[in-house]
Amino acid sequence: MQMRTCLHDKIGWIFDLDGTLTVPVHDFGVIRQELAIPEGEDILGHLGQLPEELAAPKQRRLDEIERELAGYAVAAPGVLALLDHLGRCQSRLGILTRNSREVALVTLEAIGAHGYFHPDDVLGRAEAPPKPNPSGVVQLCTQWQVAAGQVVMVGDYLFDLLAGRSAGAATVHVARPDGQRWPAASDVSVETLDELLLLLKQT
C-alpha cells in the first residue's frame, strides 16, 4: 500500500463507478469493435470528434450496451462496508462516471449502493465533461461547498486520478486486474476497497 497523504480529515468522497465500486465487466475492445472505433482510442473522445450524423447512432448503441451491462453489475468486495463507514463519518458521497447518469443509477441499485448517493451527486457524461477533465470534481465540490483539498477522488484508472489531481483533490487508486498503476498520479494506492476501509479505521 502506497500512501502520501492523510485521508482521515477528508469530508467529501467521489468515486468512479465501473471497476471501482463494481467488479469490472466492460470489455472496451469489444465495444470499440462494435462501434467501429480504432483499437486503443478513447471511446468518448472518438465519438466527440465525429460529425453529429455519424456520432448519434454510435452514441445510441453505446447507451444500449451500457444499460445492458448495468443490470448485471456486481459490487466490488468491501464496497458496502466502506460506504457504511463513510456514511457514519457524515462524509459527502458522489459518483463521477463516464457513463450516463441513468446507467449509473441503475448500476448503483444493482449493487445495493443507491441509498448512499443523492441523485444530484451522481454525475455522468451529460452532467460534466468526461474524465480526465476535472470539471466534475469541481462541480461536486461546489455543490457541497467544500474545498477540493477536503475531497478524495477514488478510481481504478488514470483518467480518474488525473481528474482528481487537476482539481486539487487527493487521489486513491484501486488496483486493476491488469496490474496497471500510476504512482505519480496517486496519493494512496490500495489493492481493494477492504484495504482502503482498513486504512481509514486506523488511528
Side-chain angles (χ1 to χ4, degrees):
M1 174 178 61
Q2 168 205 7
M3 183 171 177
R4 293 202 301 261
T5 191
C6 178
L7 301 177
H8 294 85
D9 61 346
K10 307 303 182 185
I11 59 177
W13 287 74
I14 304 171
F15 293 92
D16 170 56
L17 190 51
D18 299 312
T20 300
L21 296 187
T22 73
V23 174
V25 294
H26 289 71
D27 188 329
F28 293 108
V30 170
I31 294 174
R32 289 187 185 93
Q33 288 181 352
E34 179 155 353
L35 300 180
I37 295 175
E39 182 179 353
E41 281 202 27
D42 175 54
I43 293 171
L44 295 183
H46 179 89
L47 295 180
Q49 294 174 357
L50 293 177
E52 176 62 24
E53 64 272 17
L54 296 179
K58 293 178 185 253
Q59 185 65 65
R60 285 194 295 270
R61 179 56 186 144
L62 177 61
D63 291 342
E64 291 172 357
I65 293 170
E66 291 177 341
R67 283 195 296 271
E68 291 167 5
L69 293 172
Y72 298 103
V74 175
V79 61
L80 298 183
L82 174 62
L83 296 176
D84 273 337
H85 175 81
L86 293 173
R88 287 195 299 271
C89 294
Q90 298 185 320
S91 300
R92 301 299 301 266
L93 302 178
I95 296 287
L96 182 58
T97 176
R98 287 164 60 93
N99 286 336
S100 68
R101 173 185 272 169
E102 174 193 0
V103 166
L105 293 173
V106 171
T107 301
L108 288 170
E109 185 165 4
I111 66 173
H114 57 287
Y116 295 98
F117 298 92
H118 190 283
D120 290 345
D121 296 333
V122 178
L123 304 185
R125 56 178 172 252
E127 289 71 42
K131 298 169 290 186
N133 191 302
S135 297
V137 177
V138 174
Q139 182 175 329
L140 285 170
C141 290
T142 300
Q143 289 177 194
W144 296 339
Q145 297 184 326
V146 300
Q150 297 175 293
V151 169
V152 185
M153 178 73 219
V154 183
D156 71 319
Y157 188 59
L158 177 61
F159 286 177
D160 307 314
L161 306 173
L162 292 178
R165 180 61 57 86
S166 297
T171 56
V172 174
H173 179 239
V174 182
R176 298 166 53 87
D178 61 15
Q180 291 188 83
R181 295 178 182 274
W182 298 275
S186 308
D187 293 307
V188 176
S189 181
V190 297
E191 293 298 316
T192 65
L193 296 179
D194 284 321
E195 185 178 345
L196 178 56
L197 176 58
L198 181 61
L199 175 62
L200 292 176
K201 287 183 174 180
Q202 293 174 353
T203 56

